[in-house]
């Protein structure tokens, strides 16, 4: 049974770590120290258990993993490993001041970014049979932005607290931010084309479309984090106003997506009676809620308007509720797999 569970481990499993980590950060920012501490240590457990399972899957089922990495529908799920490493590293840097550990997470994530992103792109570009945007495109493609901006954020946090060359770390973070901005513009256009010009079936209105909002929010947070490092910098200081403007624009873009995706969810579960049951993709819904909470709280650093943190004070409760419901659903699913081995993992 364990071997079967390893074989069918969802590609986006590390979204659990992403969601837990960002909500821990949101809790810390708003002074909920106990909640933040509990989620931080839980997140360490989640990360290392999932990492062991992923390594086991890679060793035992290498052809399956590489084949899945080349799939338009699922390949981007592996990029959650990159984002989760950076989010956990950011937790170590900001909550524990453990900059050495955070630097190791950043380097690990950077290596994974090169390997996974280019392997995915090469696999999808070069394969002969390809799906149409109708079946091959969904919100999980925006994980290309999420993983890139997570590298930028952790680099921005570490730029003045690492043994690595400060300007080099800041430069990599700035380049990652700019790349993430361009990727968002390109991919969101394709995503909108799919949504607007192809029929939507209930099974296709998946929770991963929430990443449309999450990718915008993490881009805004990346800009906010980076702006603190480049302000007044001899080389990058001229870009401060641009980065600040991009942060505001992407926060607005993230806010725009919330009603759109809510309408899709209401249509799927209420109008079309799609069964509401746990699937691993629900962590892709929880993460954007936590990211929007953190982004709104930090936005006041570049746009000093008190109502922004008021928004975050509301969203923290929504994010907690979403995390708790999804976590309970995951535990129930795991219990069913233990007592009824015929139940398989949801991808």
């Amino acid at each position: 049974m364990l071997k079967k569970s390893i074989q069918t481990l969802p590609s986006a499993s590390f979204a659990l770590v992403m969601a837990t980590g960002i909500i821990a950060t949101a809790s810390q920012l708003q002074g909920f120290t106990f909640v933040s501490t509990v989620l931080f240590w839980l997140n360490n457990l989640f990360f290392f258990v999932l990492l062991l399972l992923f390594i086991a899957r890679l060793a035992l089922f290498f052809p399956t993993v590489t084949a899945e990495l080349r799939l338009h529908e699922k390949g981007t799920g592996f990029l959650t490993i990159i984002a989760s490493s950076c989010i956990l590293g950011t937790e170590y840097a900001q909550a524990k001041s453990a900059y050495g550990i955070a630097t190791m997470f950043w380097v690990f994530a950077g290596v994974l970014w090169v390997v996974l992103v280019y392997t995915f792109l090469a696999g999808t570009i070069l394969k002969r049979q390809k799906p149409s945007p109708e079946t091959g495109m969904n919100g999980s493609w925006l994980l290309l932005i999420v993983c890139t901006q997570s590298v930028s954020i952790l680099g921005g946090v570490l730029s003045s607290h690492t043994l690595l060359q400060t300007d080099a770390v800041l430069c990599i973070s700035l380049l990652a931010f700019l790349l993430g901005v361009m990727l968002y513009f390109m991919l969101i256009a394709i995503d909108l084309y799919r949504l607007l010009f192809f029929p939507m079936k209930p099974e296709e209105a998946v929770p991963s479309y929430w990443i449309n909002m999450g990718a915008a929010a993490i881009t805004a947070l990346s800009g906010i984090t980076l702006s603190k490092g480049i302000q007044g910098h001899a080389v990058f200081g001229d870009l401060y106003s641009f980065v600040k403007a991009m942060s505001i624009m992407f926060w607005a873009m993230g806010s725009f997506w919330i009603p759109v995706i809510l309408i899709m969810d209401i249509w799927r579960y209420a109008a079309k009676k799609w069964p509401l049951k746990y699937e691993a993709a629900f962590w892709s819904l929880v993460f954007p809620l936590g990211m929007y909470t953190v982004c709104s709280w930090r936005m006041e650093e570049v746009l000093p308007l008190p109502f922004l943190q008021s928004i975050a004070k509301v969203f923290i409760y929504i994010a907690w509720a979403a995390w708790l419901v999804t976590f309970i659903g995951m535990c129930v699913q795991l219990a069913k797999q233990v007592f009824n081995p015929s139940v398989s993992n949801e991808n």
Side-chain angles (χ1 to χ4, degrees):
M1 186 186 113
L2 178 59
K3 190 173 182 180
K4 179 65 175 177
S5 297
I6 292 173
Q7 184 181 9
T8 57
L9 185 72
S11 60
S13 293
F14 282 82
L16 164 63
V17 180
M18 293 166 56
T20 306
I22 198 63
I23 292 175
T25 299
S27 302
Q28 181 196 13
L29 286 172
Q30 298 195 31
F32 298 102
T33 307
F34 176 76
V35 175
S36 175
T37 301
V38 171
L39 290 177
F40 170 75
W41 291 114
L42 272 177
N43 215 26
N44 277 270
L45 175 64
F46 296 155
F47 180 83
F48 289 107
V49 168
L50 285 172
L51 187 62
L52 288 174
L53 291 174
F54 176 74
I55 292 171
R57 189 182 187 215
L58 201 60
L60 296 172
F61 307 102
F62 185 76
T64 302
V65 174
T66 54
E68 195 170 311
L69 185 56
R70 294 194 296 269
L71 291 176
H72 283 69
E73 304 87 350
K74 295 181 179 180
T76 52
F78 290 101
L79 305 183
T80 58
I81 307 172
I82 302 167
S84 64
S85 301
C86 288
I87 288 170
L88 186 56
T90 303
E91 286 186 84
Y92 269 102
Q94 293 183 329
K96 304 298 180 183
S97 298
Y99 298 110
I101 296 175
T103 300
M104 289 190 289
F105 273 110
W106 189 66
V107 173
F108 176 66
V111 173
L112 281 180
W113 191 96
V114 173
V115 173
L116 293 177
V117 169
Y118 285 111
T119 300
F120 167 73
L121 291 176
T124 52
I125 290 170
L126 299 178
K127 70 179 182 180
R128 302 184 69 177
Q129 293 185 338
K130 302 180 184 182
S132 70
E134 183 179 7
T135 57
M137 184 69 184
N138 58 58
S140 68
W141 274 73
L142 277 295
L143 284 168
L144 282 162
I145 294 98
V146 171
C147 73
T148 304
Q149 296 295 10
S150 68
V151 172
S152 175
I153 290 170
L154 182 52
V157 170
L158 290 173
S159 60
S160 57
H161 300 282
T162 179
L163 296 177
L164 303 177
Q165 215 279 330
T166 299
D167 284 355
V169 174
L170 204 54
C171 181
I172 292 171
S173 299
L174 179 61
L175 293 175
F177 169 74
L178 295 173
L179 176 61
V181 168
M182 289 307 302
L183 284 172
Y184 190 91
F185 287 145
M186 290 187 290
L187 291 175
I188 205 65
I190 302 171
D191 189 66
L192 269 173
Y193 172 67
R194 185 265 171 269
L195 290 174
L196 293 174
F197 294 100
F198 291 91
M200 178 64 73
K201 301 174 183 176
E203 60 269 24
E204 294 170 343
V206 290
S208 61
Y209 275 109
W210 278 94
I211 305 175
N212 291 12
M213 181 270 277
I218 197 174
T219 302
L221 181 61
S222 177
I224 295 166
T225 305
L226 196 59
S227 64
K228 295 175 68 175
I230 67 173
Q231 188 175 17
H233 192 277
V235 179
F236 308 119
D238 290 344
L239 291 171
Y240 171 75
S241 296
F242 170 78
V243 172
K244 178 179 175 180
M246 287 293 101
S247 301
I248 298 169
M249 185 188 73
F250 274 94
W251 181 83
M253 198 173 297
S255 302
F256 161 79
W257 273 111
I258 295 173
V260 176
I261 305 170
L262 272 176
I263 291 168
M264 289 173 59
D265 283 347
I266 292 170
W267 173 81
R268 186 191 202 205
Y269 295 109
K272 295 300 179 179
K273 310 297 183 184
W274 189 259
L276 185 59
K277 61 179 182 178
Y278 172 80
E279 53 184 299
F282 273 115
W283 291 112
S284 298
L285 179 157
V286 180
F287 167 75
L289 294 175
M291 181 55 70
Y292 186 77
T293 304
V294 173
C295 175
S296 297
W297 185 272
R298 294 279 309 279
M299 181 57 64
E300 199 177 24
E301 296 175 17
V302 297
L303 196 65
L305 296 173
F307 80 88
L308 292 170
Q309 291 194 347
S310 298
I311 293 173
K313 289 177 182 178
V314 173
F315 263 83
I316 187 67
Y317 293 102
I318 298 173
W320 282 344
W323 185 92
L324 185 60
V325 169
T326 307
F327 182 73
I328 292 172
M330 182 185 72
C331 293
V332 171
Q333 178 75 10
L334 290 173
K336 287 180 179 178
Q337 289 177 11
V338 170
F339 296 106
N340 184 6
S342 62
V343 176
S344 62
N345 284 351
E346 296 286 348
N347 285 291

